[in-house]
Amino acid sequence: MGKGLETKTGTAKATRVAYGEVLLELGKKRQDIVVLDADLSGSTNTGKFGKAFPDRFFNIGISEQDMMGTAAGLSLAGKLPFASTFAIFATGRAWEQVRQTICYSNLNVKIVATHGGITVGEDGASHQSVEDLTLMRVLPNMTIIVPADAKETEEVIEVISDEYGPTYVRLGRAKVPVIMPEDYRFNIGKAYIFHIGKDANIISCGIMVEKALKASERLKNDGLDVGVINMSTIKPIDEETIISVAKTSRAIVTAEEHSIIGGLGSAVTEVLSEKYPVPVKRIGVKDCFGCSGDPEGLLKLYSLTVEDIIAGIREVVRMKDNLW
Amino acid sequence: MKVAVDIKDLEEKARLIRIDILKMLTLAGSGHTGGSLSAADIVTALYFYKMRYNPKDPSWRERDRFILSKGHAAPLLYAALSRAGYFNPELLKTLRKIGSPLQGHPSRQSLPGVEVSTGSLGQGLSVANGIALGLRLDGIDSRVYCLLGDGEIQEGQIWEASMTAAHYHLDNICAIVDNNGLQIDGPVKEVMRVDPLPQKWNAFGWHIIETDGHNMGEIITALDEAETIKGKPTVIIAHTVKGKGVSFFEGRVEYHGIAPTQEELTRALKELGEVQHG
């Protein structure tokens, strides 16, 4: 995989910015890539591609349903379409177009949505998607990926360009620290294990991976060995890794910037309850809408902080001790 | 351009396609009779006069594309595809049965010749636009035909797509509205008025052609004219009769979504001049 970009571990960058950059690089290499947006190309960062390749960029206006259908048609004509808008509009407003036209026909459309989760911030609940993973996970043929940082985003966009099939990638608005190692290579359906813990393991995705790493570090001082897994592919879920780490620690915490209904937490508990039942605590948005505010304040308000993960770990460790 | 078009031959093809539709629907015991029959002449003209395709190579890049946006007219598409040589006509007998590639609404994954799965209304024109944009990028002069129902265009996505086609000057697109005036719940003008169609499409930037959707000569003239229009998409508003070809189905709203009984089939085939065996 030729790397044209160099997002360094330890720096900070929004995943949507990384997307705009990698798309531009890929556009230079591949003539078949076309990009669609629904009047948000400045925010989603597809505008960079649009400026460089105006013939291969289609602004469809504020009509997400039409955008998904047009992307489907472009894929039928042999193109590799990337369709971008905010997560809630891509998956909510256009859900049935994604289902009927893209997934049912199994078309090679890459839906890369930005502004996932509550860290959208001040715009409030109407623009904060905490349901998108649920909505996409139920669709047959769909692959779902939530990169943890800018570096992983670059990897993900390159990898999915070479893999056939409908794909949903969820990106964020805010700057996030780059935590994936320099030599990291993304594989669809393969989790990245920072380390496996004996006392508990945190299975996380997106911006919560960094918080999981901090939680693990803090608990080390208390003598707890807590592992951290970046489950960036939500579907197909890496069952093997889930079961393997559950066998080691017999206590699992999931962490996602998404509703606890239907997203990563649900995917993990579905695997575990059928194949290796252990206590699980899901950290996520608890069946409610977001609200306006600064992103950090919202993470506190919705219990998505390092402290919340730590509390979750203590809870599952206690549950485990009572059980075994 | 084709020379010496044999209108009689096309009319005979349309008659045979109507017979196929009625037989397969009766066997299936369910399905959409009225809207399959209303568009039969249009689709016959497309597959046996206008469109360029190769049934031996369904993914031939330079083929013209047909998108059945009103996916419930699947029996019509299947009859046309089988007569065009895409598959053995025996398959028509499996319509709507478990394991059949002939799904109740067209499925791309099941049947070669189906360009995209449809059935949920209002989505086909967007797909047609995407194909048209892709063809233009590749410098391929194929055309994309998209059949819409008049009830179907109540869906907002159709108007989103109509803006897109005009905005991108997609003159390789030809939409056809099967304007049969009826939808499941009753006359379109009573359920949710879509008139005036020519003014609406014109306001959205399209070239308008109105035609009698059952007059083969008029249909092919319209299709030929559409091809000459440059710089904007064309819509053919085809005035049709729901259930056309079978007197007791014509204009009857209740035959939107039900199949003929065996007795009705016998009468219908007699009207269409077909003698039933066995």
Side-chain angles (χ1 to χ4, degrees):
Chain A
M1 209 177 307
K3 302 300 293 175
L5 300 165
E6 40 202 288
T7 297
K8 295 278 182 223
T9 309
T11 60
K13 188 191 272 187
T15 49
R16 61 180 170 136
V17 172
Y19 169 53
E21 292 168 356
V22 71
L23 204 51
L24 184 63
E25 289 304 313
L26 281 173
K28 292 176 190 163
K29 286 183 237 164
R30 291 184 58 159
Q31 290 304 308
D32 60 335
I33 291 184
V34 293
V35 177
L36 301 93
D37 206 298
D39 194 38
L40 288 169
S41 62
S43 300
T44 63
N45 277 261
T46 62
K48 294 187 182 82
F49 181 99
K51 212 162 183 189
F53 310 106
D55 294 346
R56 289 189 275 143
F57 177 76
F58 304 106
N59 201 328
I60 302 297
I62 310 167
S63 53
E64 296 76 14
Q65 303 172 10
D66 185 40
M67 177 175 74
M68 293 304 175
T70 309
L74 280 157
S75 84
L76 285 166
K79 302 297 171 191
L80 176 60
F82 282 80
S84 292
T85 178
F86 290 179
I88 194 60
F89 309 136
T91 63
R93 183 60 169 259
W95 185 83
E96 210 225 349
Q97 283 71 17
V98 176
R99 175 187 187 266
Q100 301 280 357
T101 299
I102 295 173
C103 288
Y104 184 36
S105 287
N106 195 29
L107 300 181
N108 196 22
V109 175
K110 310 304 177 189
I111 301 166
V112 182
T114 65
H115 295 61
I118 57 164
T119 50
V120 164
E122 291 78 358
D123 276 348
S126 61
H127 285 57
Q128 295 163 343
S129 177
V130 295
E131 306 93 342
D132 51 317
L133 300 179
T134 312
L135 291 168
M136 293 296 101
R137 209 159 70 83
V138 76
L139 296 176
N141 295 332
M142 185 60 100
T143 295
I144 304 168
I145 303 163
V146 186
D149 64 11
K151 173 160 183 55
E152 187 168 37
T153 303
E154 292 166 9
E155 283 283 327
V156 165
I157 300 301
E158 286 210 36
V159 167
I160 64 170
S161 299
D162 292 325
E163 287 284 332
Y164 186 91
T167 305
Y168 176 68
V169 180
R170 181 206 224 209
L171 304 178
R173 169 176 177 264
K175 246 185 206 182
V176 287
V178 177
I179 50 165
M180 298 306 284
E182 301 285 349
D183 60 351
Y184 170 67
R185 290 291 171 265
F186 169 76
N187 289 299
I188 295 174
K190 195 78 201 120
Y192 178 78
I193 301 171
F194 283 91
H195 93 272
I196 300 179
K198 284 198 286 292
D199 295 311
N201 282 286
I202 311 164
I203 300 176
S204 51
C205 68
I207 64 165
M208 297 306 284
V209 180
E210 186 243 349
K211 298 181 196 310
L213 286 168
K214 282 185 175 154
S216 164
E217 198 56 38
R218 293 245 307 260
L219 285 165
K220 226 190 246 174
N221 304 330
D222 296 3
L224 278 178
D225 178 17
V226 178
V228 177
I229 287 90
N230 174 10
M231 189 64 67
S232 40
T233 310
I234 308 297
K235 187 182 178 182
I237 195 92
D238 184 352
E239 292 197 6
E240 202 184 318
T241 295
I242 294 172
I243 293 165
S244 150
V245 300
K247 279 183 178 167
T248 305
S249 65
R250 295 185 173 182
I252 297 290
V253 169
T254 64
E256 63 198 306
E257 190 199 3
H258 186 272
S259 172
I260 53 168
I261 301 174
L264 173 67
S266 292
V268 169
T269 50
E270 283 161 19
V271 171
L272 290 177
S273 51
E274 282 191 350
K275 304 203 166 152
Y276 196 79
V278 298
V280 178
K281 174 71 185 173
R282 292 168 299 154
I283 303 296
V285 176
K286 292 169 188 66
D287 194 19
C288 61
F289 291 106
C291 67
S292 289
D294 66 288
E296 282 306 315
L298 290 175
L299 288 170
K300 281 200 188 82
L301 187 63
Y302 291 94
S303 307
L304 299 171
T305 64
V306 174
E307 288 69 31
D308 295 302
I309 296 174
I310 288 172
I313 288 163
R314 294 199 193 286
E315 193 179 328
V316 282
V317 168
R318 251 196 325 272
M319 284 164 74
K320 170 173 74 169
D321 291 343
N322 291 340
L323 272 172
W324 305 88
Chain B
M1 214 57 17
K2 313 275 196 308
V3 280
V5 182
D6 191 338
I7 300 281
K8 284 267 167 296
D9 188 50
L10 286 171
E11 287 170 348
E12 174 60 8
K13 273 262 165 30
R15 187 184 71 93
L16 295 173
I17 280 175
R18 284 196 164 88
I19 289 167
D20 290 342
I21 291 167
L22 292 162
K23 283 182 173 172
M24 76 175 105
L25 280 167
T26 306
L27 262 179
S30 68
H32 297 80
T33 305
S36 294
L37 294 173
S38 64
D41 301 301
I42 298 159
V43 171
T44 300
L46 284 171
Y47 275 90
F48 302 100
Y49 168 71
K50 195 71 211 171
M51 291 203 314
R52 178 171 82 192
Y53 58 87
N54 177 7
K56 301 280 173 290
D57 182 9
S59 51
W60 178 38
R61 288 189 75 207
E62 295 183 16
R63 72 193 183 282
D64 291 331
R65 270 73 163 180
F66 175 65
I67 308 292
L68 182 68
S69 193
K70 48 170 285 184
H72 55 280
L76 166 59
L77 176 63
Y78 299 152
L81 287 175
S82 86
R83 290 201 173 264
Y86 279 88
F87 57 83
N88 187 332
E90 279 297 300
L91 258 187
L92 296 177
K93 295 177 180 166
T94 67
L95 173 69
R96 289 175 167 252
K97 300 277 194 281
I98 289 175
S100 172
L102 277 57
Q103 292 291 293
H105 294 81
S107 167
R108 172 182 166 79
Q109 292 291 88
S110 306
L111 188 67
V114 173
E115 298 287 352
V116 68
S117 306
T118 52
S120 171
L121 294 173
Q123 301 195 21
L125 189 56
S126 302
V127 179
N129 286 343
I131 296 172
L133 284 167
L135 290 169
R136 189 166 73 183
L137 277 175
D138 289 342
I140 297 173
D141 70 349
S142 305
R143 293 182 59 74
V144 187
Y145 296 94
C146 180
L147 184 66
L148 307 166
D150 55 345
E152 178 185 16
I153 66 177
Q154 291 160 352
E155 290 280 7
Q157 190 186 346
I158 292 293
W159 300 101
E160 296 181 357
S162 75
M163 278 188 269
T164 300
H167 182 83
Y168 286 103
H169 308 288
L170 294 176
D171 54 19
N172 51 350
I173 284 257
C174 177
I176 303 161
V177 179
D178 176 14
N179 191 27
N180 64 35
L182 295 176
Q183 58 188 114
I184 305 181
D185 272 358
V188 174
K189 63 175 185 284
E190 288 176 19
V191 175
M192 179 51 65
R193 190 160 45 85
V194 297
D195 284 336
L197 288 182
Q199 288 90 328
K200 278 191 173 127
W201 286 93
N202 184 53
F204 277 75
W206 289 59
H207 177 74
I208 318 296
I209 302 172
E210 285 195 76
T211 186
D212 176 344
H214 300 306
N215 181 317
M216 200 55 83
E218 274 197 34
I219 294 169
I220 66 175
T221 303
L223 291 170
D224 286 346
E225 180 189 329
E227 200 162 4
T228 66
I229 304 303
K230 298 299 166 201
K232 50 157 66 176
T234 293
V235 59
I236 297 173
I237 299 166
H239 301 295
T240 57
V241 174
K242 201 144 181 171
K244 177 70 179 179
V246 180
S247 63
F248 49 94
F249 292 156
E250 287 185 6
R252 295 271 304 277
V253 72
E254 53 274 39
Y255 283 95
H256 170 93
I258 62 167
T261 62
Q262 193 59 50
E263 185 268 329
E264 285 168 336
L265 176 67
T266 306
R267 282 165 59 206
L269 293 183
K270 200 177 281 175
E271 283 193 11
L272 285 163
E274 171 84 345
V275 186
Q276 228 185 338
H277 304 285

